Amino acid sequence: MNNIGVLMTCPMSEYLENQLENRFSLFKLWNHSSPKPDFLKTHSSSIKAVVGNTKIGADANMIDSLPNMEIVASYSVGLDKIDLGKCKEKGIKVTNTPDVLTDDVADLGIGLALAVLRKMCVCDRFVRSGNWINGDFGLASKFSGKSVGIVGLGRIGSAIAKRAEAFNCSISYHSRSKKPNTNYKYYSNIVDLAADCQILFVACALTEETHHIVNRKVIDALGPKGILINIGRGAHVDEPELVYALLEGRLGGAGLDVYENEPNVPEQLFSLENIVLVPHVGSDTEETSKAMADLVISNLEAHFKGMPLLTPVL
């Protein structure tokens, strides 16, 4: 397969990069001096596959620029950076990396909730600054027994629910439709869900319908004692409204792994002590990074050997 051209859209995983170089003819979109359109035009006849992620996938312009492309393999479970309509129109296969990252993202979601409620980052600064010698740290809030609402009860949402249940939390959820085989309380309206929970986790896929699904109405329903945890996509939340709500005290706190204009984060958030910010690292562990890379490679090899894809989207 060394003669098959594979385009990697941006730096992702050193391990993935090495594996691709060992098996295919690898083109790195970021590692060239010519403008992107010129680079794609020069190598258009050679590139048969694209490997993208949550930063750069395969948009309509890229797809049209690569007439010999057969498959897009996403180094992510998310598909919002891939023009699925254009891929379907041109008969291009699409794969992603579900399941292998579920545990890590769910773990981080629970960790963010604990960090916000127990003020872990503030406690850390308190100890490091030497302030403990002047008196004890104040009280925080417990996580166990809280009412948890989950937006999107897919793989990751279900994993969050399972973990929250271990803390004796009550679970309710909102999704496009009621899920079978679950006893969790279903809300067809996200505002009602937010009004009836203390911690709201956002774990759904990003689509046109879920863009800014967490808006001012949802935030106000969650209220000044509520906590928002977003481990989905930044665009799920109306970010300016979130900032205003936190600054005005209309929302109790937030734990954020994703942002609307990454890597840019609203500077107004930096001084707030009731939020925890991490830089989109939900699946960034050594173990999961390798498993995701192996799945990308396996899907590409299956396609070019004429075998069934392991995790087909299209």
Side-chain angles (χ1 to χ4, degrees):
M1 294 188 185
N2 290 332
N3 62 336
I4 296 174
V6 174
L7 174 68
M8 202 174 184
T9 62
C10 62
M12 301 173 204
S13 153
E14 184 177 349
Y15 172 78
L16 173 60
E17 193 172 321
N18 290 337
Q19 293 301 308
L20 288 170
E21 284 183 321
N22 290 338
R23 290 169 168 79
F24 303 98
S25 175
L26 182 63
F27 297 90
K28 303 173 187 179
L29 187 58
W30 70 95
N31 194 22
H32 61 88
S33 57
S34 59
K36 176 180 170 181
D38 293 344
F39 175 85
L40 293 176
K41 184 177 181 181
T42 299
H43 300 288
S44 62
S45 61
S46 302
I47 295 171
K48 294 186 177 182
V50 169
V51 175
N53 65 359
T54 57
K55 295 178 181 178
I56 305 177
D59 60 17
N61 289 333
M62 179 181 290
I63 294 169
D64 285 336
S65 300
L66 300 173
N68 293 329
M69 182 165 62
E70 299 176 13
I71 184 171
V72 178
S74 178
Y75 180 69
S76 166
V77 69
L79 300 165
D80 48 288
K81 297 298 183 180
I82 301 173
D83 191 324
L84 295 176
K86 178 68 73 169
C87 287
K88 188 173 183 179
E89 172 190 325
K90 290 183 171 289
I92 296 169
K93 302 290 179 62
V94 177
T95 67
N96 63 351
T97 58
D99 297 321
V100 293
L101 50 72
T102 297
D103 284 341
D104 275 349
V105 179
D107 288 350
L108 182 65
I110 296 296
L112 284 171
L114 285 165
V116 173
L117 288 163
R118 298 304 301 269
K119 302 181 180 179
M120 289 184 184
C121 295
V122 184
C123 283
D124 180 82
R125 291 193 295 271
F126 181 80
V127 174
R128 291 174 187 271
S129 66
N131 283 335
W132 195 5
I133 198 170
N134 299 319
D136 291 338
F137 190 80
L139 298 176
S141 181
K142 70 187 298 182
F143 176 62
S144 294
K146 287 283 195 295
S147 56
V148 165
I150 301 173
V151 183
L153 200 68
R155 294 180 180 90
I156 293 172
S158 296
I160 290 170
K162 182 179 179 180
R163 285 157 174 74
E165 280 188 300
F167 286 88
N168 294 318
C169 295
S170 60
I171 311 295
S172 52
Y173 71 100
H174 165 76
S175 63
R176 287 175 295 179
S177 59
K178 188 174 182 179
K179 302 295 183 183
N181 305 319
T182 179
N183 294 322
Y184 304 143
K185 187 174 181 179
Y186 171 66
Y187 286 86
S188 60
N189 187 310
I190 187 176
V191 176
D192 293 338
L193 172 67
D196 201 32
C197 71
Q198 295 167 290
I199 309 170
L200 185 67
F201 289 87
V202 182
C204 55
L206 181 60
T207 64
E208 290 183 5
E209 291 75 19
T210 62
H211 182 269
H212 284 187
I213 191 171
V214 178
N215 54 25
R216 185 185 179 104
K217 287 184 178 180
V218 174
I219 292 170
D220 285 345
L222 192 53
K225 292 185 178 181
I227 304 296
L228 176 69
I229 306 296
N230 190 6
I231 45 80
R233 289 289 182 267
H236 281 134
V237 178
D238 186 330
E239 202 164 80
E241 290 292 349
L242 174 63
V243 171
Y244 296 146
L246 288 165
L247 292 173
E248 295 167 4
R250 291 184 288 108
L251 181 66
L256 307 174
D257 180 45
V258 289
Y259 310 88
E260 195 155 12
N261 297 294
E262 296 176 5
N264 301 303
V265 178
E267 293 184 3
Q268 301 100 308
L269 299 178
F270 295 165
S271 62
L272 299 179
E273 293 193 339
N274 58 338
I275 61 173
V276 175
L277 309 173
V278 294
H280 202 156
V281 293
S283 61
D284 289 1
T285 65
E286 292 180 6
E287 298 88 346
T288 293
S289 178
K290 181 179 184 299
M292 290 168 63
D294 287 341
L295 187 50
V296 168
I297 296 294
S298 294
N299 273 310
L300 290 175
E301 289 184 331
H303 171 74
F304 290 113
K305 290 178 180 177
M307 299 169 62
L309 299 174
L310 280 74
T311 54
V313 177
L314 289 178

